[in-house]
């Protein structure tokens, strides 16, 4: 893809995010995006042949950008599981609480009929693989740990965005959430002993 064509696609995606942030997901149409970038809707078809392909590119972009952030922080994570998970949770919730529309697309699928392409979904998979690596490194071997972790963080982000958009109530809850998570699935040194 040429640099100019990629630049136009990026401009279209920026316009699409702008539409969604202003009008919600139901306001996203090819026409509304085309108007924002100053082109006619038929010209948009040369870059994205449907609204769902725009959404797919937005999904891939959102995950790719978050994965780049996670990758940049990965090498600096401490060895202590609790401290590392606090840093990971804070990075995730900073991003999701700051951008409810992006959170919705990445975690809630707000568009009926939308399924990301394998290419777009690959960025989400890459991010989950980073999580698996962190959990392994931290001694967390429970096979359900990554599902539990993502459910906790998705719940905190959704609760924050629904009840206090732009707020930071989640910051108070994250240390307790990490402690609860580790007490349930953490390495033997952090796990609560279960009674029979």
């Amino acid at each position: 893809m040429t640099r100019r064509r990629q630049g136009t696609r990026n401009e279209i995606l920026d316009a699409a995010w702008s539409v969604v942030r202003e009008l919600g997901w139901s306001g996203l149409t090819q026409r509304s995006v085309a108007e924002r970038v100053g082109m006619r809707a038929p010209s948009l078809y040369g870059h994205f042949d449907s609204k769902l392909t725009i959404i797919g590119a937005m999904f891939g972009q959102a995950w790719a950008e978050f994965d780049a952030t996670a990758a940049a922080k990965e090498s600096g994570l401490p060895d202590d599981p609790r401290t590392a998970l606090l840093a990971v949770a804070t990075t995730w919730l900073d991003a999701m609480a700051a951008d409810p529309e992006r959170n919705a697309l990445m975690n809630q699928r707000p568009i009926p009929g939308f399924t990301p392409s394998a290419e777009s979904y690959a960025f989400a998979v890459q991010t989950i693989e980073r999580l698996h690596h962190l959990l392994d490194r931290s001694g967390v071997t429970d096979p359900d740990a990554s599902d539990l972790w993502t459910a906790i963080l998705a719940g905190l982000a959704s609760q924050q965005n629904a009840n206090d958009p732009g707020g930071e109530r989640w910051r108070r809850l994250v240390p307790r959430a990490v402690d609860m998570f580790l007490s349930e699935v953490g390495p033997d040194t952090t796990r609560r002993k279960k009674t029979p």
Side-chain angles (χ1 to χ4, degrees):
M1 180 178 306
T2 68
R3 183 177 297 183
R4 182 175 178 202
R5 183 167 173 77
Q6 185 60 52
T8 301
R9 286 176 62 89
N10 290 341
E11 186 180 356
I12 291 167
L13 293 178
D14 289 346
W17 284 112
S18 177
V19 168
V20 169
R21 289 180 182 119
E22 185 179 318
L23 304 174
W25 286 103
S26 62
L28 182 67
T29 64
Q30 284 183 289
R31 182 180 306 277
S32 64
V33 173
E35 288 172 359
R36 297 260 171 143
V37 294
M39 69 173 54
R40 295 169 39 97
S43 299
L44 198 66
Y45 296 133
H47 299 279
F48 296 100
D49 63 4
S50 71
K51 177 174 118 172
L52 291 179
T53 58
I54 294 173
I55 295 167
M58 294 167 76
F59 180 92
Q61 179 190 53
W63 277 106
E65 288 175 0
F66 182 78
D67 189 61
T69 299
K73 293 193 177 261
E74 190 172 38
S75 65
L77 289 175
D79 291 333
D80 175 62
R82 182 179 189 272
T83 307
L85 287 171
L86 279 169
V88 168
T90 299
T91 299
W92 173 259
L93 289 163
D94 272 338
M96 296 304 109
D99 197 339
E101 292 77 14
R102 196 168 278 236
N103 176 51
L105 181 59
M106 293 170 74
N107 301 300
Q108 299 166 356
R109 305 284 175 84
I111 310 301
F114 170 67
T115 301
S117 68
E119 180 183 355
S120 291
Y121 195 67
F123 295 108
V125 171
Q126 194 167 300
T127 303
I128 291 296
E129 287 172 356
R130 284 186 199 290
L131 172 62
H132 286 279
H133 177 73
L134 172 63
L135 294 175
D136 288 345
R137 187 183 102 185
S138 299
V140 177
T141 58
D142 187 310
D144 295 328
S146 64
D147 288 339
L148 181 59
W149 178 253
T150 56
I152 290 167
L153 294 189
L156 286 171
S158 294
Q159 183 183 54
Q160 181 64 54
N161 289 333
N163 298 312
D164 186 21
E168 295 193 344
R169 182 173 183 254
W170 63 266
R171 288 190 192 279
R172 182 172 55 82
L173 300 174
V174 166
R176 291 177 62 195
V178 169
D179 290 342
M180 289 168 57
F181 173 78
L182 286 172
S183 74
E184 195 59 38
V185 299
D188 288 338
T189 55
T190 60
R191 190 174 351 193
R192 179 181 63 228
K193 301 299 182 206
K194 296 181 181 173
T195 55

